[in-house]
């Protein structure tokens, strides 16, 4: 059975199923494995959790362009019917009939011309909206590509997960770091950061043997997955509370959360 599960995991079907890229027969096979094998179910839940984490990075509000104009019905202008006197005349009024025909022709020509102008204007509106829609689709495709790229990073078996938990000075702090020492990539997910006074901010540091390396400010409003500098041979990562006018150095007791990178590297 272990060989069978190994072959299934190596096939990549579970990843494709999570991303809704499997065929009907492949989906049935994956669902059978999820229902039958606890190992597959556990891995499926882990992938779902990873996908939920990175989905925040591409949260996008629905486009606000107007497409109602495309669906509006273009009503055909009706040509008014002139009721002619049915009273029989002994003498045909050719001149009057000719005038009526001329008026009808002129009126119809004017109405048709005006209708064509209106159609041209509406067509231009539709063209503009289609162009905007195409730009939105291209932008969404770029976001999807970025989302897929981050998902693959999280799903990499070499990626380690570290959870920052705040001490008494920041009890509600929770942040998750994802570090891949093979690809030398690092990402951080800001889950929650307690509010600070306006003159203070959170800052991320990498601890080396002989010094601390500044990795940048953590913004409480940026609650999404974001890349951070990878520091080779770092012993630990820490989050400190800093005065905004003293961001270039940190005190020994200013850390409010730390993770030891050696625990998983050894």
């Amino acid at each position: 059975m272990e060989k069978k599960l190994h072959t299934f995991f190596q096939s990549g079907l579970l990843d494709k199923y999570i991303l809704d890229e499997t065929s009907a027969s492949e989906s049935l096979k994956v669902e059978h494995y999820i229902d039958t094998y606890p190992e597959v179910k556990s891995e499926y839940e882990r992938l779902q959790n990873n996908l939920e984490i990175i989905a925040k990075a591409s949260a996008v509000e629905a486009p606000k362009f107007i497409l109602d104009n495309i669906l509006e019905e273009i009503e055909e202008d009706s040509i008014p019917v002139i009721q002619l006197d049915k009273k029989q005349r002994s003498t045909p009024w050719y001149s009057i009939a000719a005038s009526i025909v001329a008026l009808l022709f002129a009126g119809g020509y004017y109405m048709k011309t005006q209708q064509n102008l209106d159609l041209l204007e509406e067509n231009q509106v539709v063209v503009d909206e289609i162009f905007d829609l195409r730009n939105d689709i291209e932008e969404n495709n770029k976001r999807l590509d970025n989302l897929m790229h981050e998902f693959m990073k999280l799903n990499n078996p070499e990626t380690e997960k570290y959870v920052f938990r705040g001490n008494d000075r920041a009890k509600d702090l929770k942040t998750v770091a994802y570090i891949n020492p093979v690809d030398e990539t690092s990402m951080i997910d800001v889950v929650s950061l307690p509010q600070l006074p306006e003159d203070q901010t959170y800052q991320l540091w990498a601890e080396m043997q002989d010094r601390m390396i500044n990795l940048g400010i953590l913004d409480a409003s940026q609650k999404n997955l974001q890349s951070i500098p990878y520091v080779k041979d770092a012993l630990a990562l820490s989050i400190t509370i800093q005065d905004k006018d003293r961001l270039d150095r940190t005190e020994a007791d200013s850390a409010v959360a730390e993770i030891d990178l050696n625990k998983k590297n050894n």
Side-chain angles (χ1 to χ4, degrees), residues 27-43:
S27 297
L28 289 175
K29 180 178 180 180
V30 173
E31 290 166 0
H32 169 72
Y33 271 76
I34 292 174
D35 293 337
T36 306
Y37 302 104
E39 297 90 341
V40 178
K41 181 178 181 181
S42 176
E43 178 66 10

Side-chain angles (χ1 to χ4, degrees), residues 176-207:
V176 184
Y178 299 90
I179 301 176
N180 187 324
V182 177
D183 294 340
E184 296 188 349
T185 58
S186 300
M187 295 182 293
I188 193 164
D189 180 25
V190 177
V191 180
S192 64
L193 293 175
Q195 188 69 33
L196 292 176
E198 293 186 359
D199 61 341
Q200 292 183 326
T201 187
Y202 292 99
Q203 197 156 344
L204 184 65
W205 300 83
E207 179 182 345

Side-chain angles (χ1 to χ4, degrees), residues 154-167:
L154 285 186
N155 196 35
N156 191 317
E158 300 296 338
T159 299
E160 298 286 356
K161 176 181 177 181
Y162 302 86
V163 179
F164 289 92
R165 300 189 185 277
N167 57 21

Side-chain angles (χ1 to χ4, degrees), residues 75-250:
E75 297 183 354
E76 295 182 357
D77 294 329
S78 59
I79 300 176
V81 178
I82 299 177
Q83 299 293 333
L84 299 178
D85 190 359
K86 296 182 180 179
K87 184 177 179 180
Q88 293 183 353
R89 299 180 182 274
S90 58
T91 304
W93 296 87
Y94 296 108
S95 60
I96 296 177
S99 299
I100 292 174
V101 171
L103 288 174
L104 288 175
F105 178 79
Y109 177 79
Y110 171 78
M111 293 175 64
K112 186 61 65 175
T113 301
Q114 188 63 40
Q115 183 182 15
N116 289 338
L117 291 175
D118 292 341
L119 287 175
L120 286 175
E121 183 177 352
E122 291 177 1
N123 287 341
Q124 185 60 46
V125 171
V126 171
V127 170
D128 292 341
E129 290 177 349
I130 292 176
F131 182 78
D132 292 339
L133 179 60
R134 184 176 299 170
N135 288 340
D136 290 334
I137 292 175
E138 291 177 354
E139 184 65 26
N140 287 337
N141 286 338
K142 290 180 181 178
R143 292 177 181 273
L144 181 59
D145 289 341
N146 292 334
L147 181 65
M148 289 286 297
H149 184 63
E150 291 176 352
F151 177 76
M152 296 306 296
K153 283 185 179 180
L154 285 186
N155 196 35
N156 191 317
E158 300 296 338
T159 299
E160 298 286 356
K161 176 181 177 181
Y162 302 86
V163 179
F164 289 92
R165 300 189 185 277
N167 57 21
D168 292 338
R169 297 178 59 198
K171 293 182 179 180
D172 295 330
L173 184 150
K174 185 177 180 182
T175 301
V176 184
Y178 299 90
I179 301 176
N180 187 324
V182 177
D183 294 340
E184 296 188 349
T185 58
S186 300
M187 295 182 293
I188 193 164
D189 180 25
V190 177
V191 180
S192 64
L193 293 175
Q195 188 69 33
L196 292 176
E198 293 186 359
D199 61 341
Q200 292 183 326
T201 187
Y202 292 99
Q203 197 156 344
L204 184 65
W205 300 83
E207 179 182 345
M208 307 298 290
Q209 286 283 2
D210 56 349
R211 68 188 188 281
M212 300 289 287
I213 298 178
N214 184 357
L215 299 184
I217 294 175
L218 294 182
D219 188 352
S221 64
Q222 297 296 320
K223 293 184 178 180
N224 53 19
L225 199 64
Q226 49 193 303
S227 297
I228 58 174
Y230 175 82
V231 180
K232 189 176 181 180
D233 299 328
L235 303 177
L237 295 179
S238 61
I239 299 175
T240 62
I241 295 178
Q242 302 282 138
D243 293 332
K244 290 185 177 180
D245 58 352
R246 301 178 61 186
L247 298 179
D248 57 337
R249 59 187 181 277
T250 181

Side-chain angles (χ1 to χ4, degrees), residues 14 18 34 38-51:
L14 189 57
I18 290 290
I34 292 174
E39 297 90 341
V40 178
K41 181 178 181 181
S42 176
E43 178 66 10
Y44 169 72
E45 292 174 348
R46 186 183 73 85
L47 294 178
Q48 284 279 53
N49 182 60
N50 286 345
L51 186 60

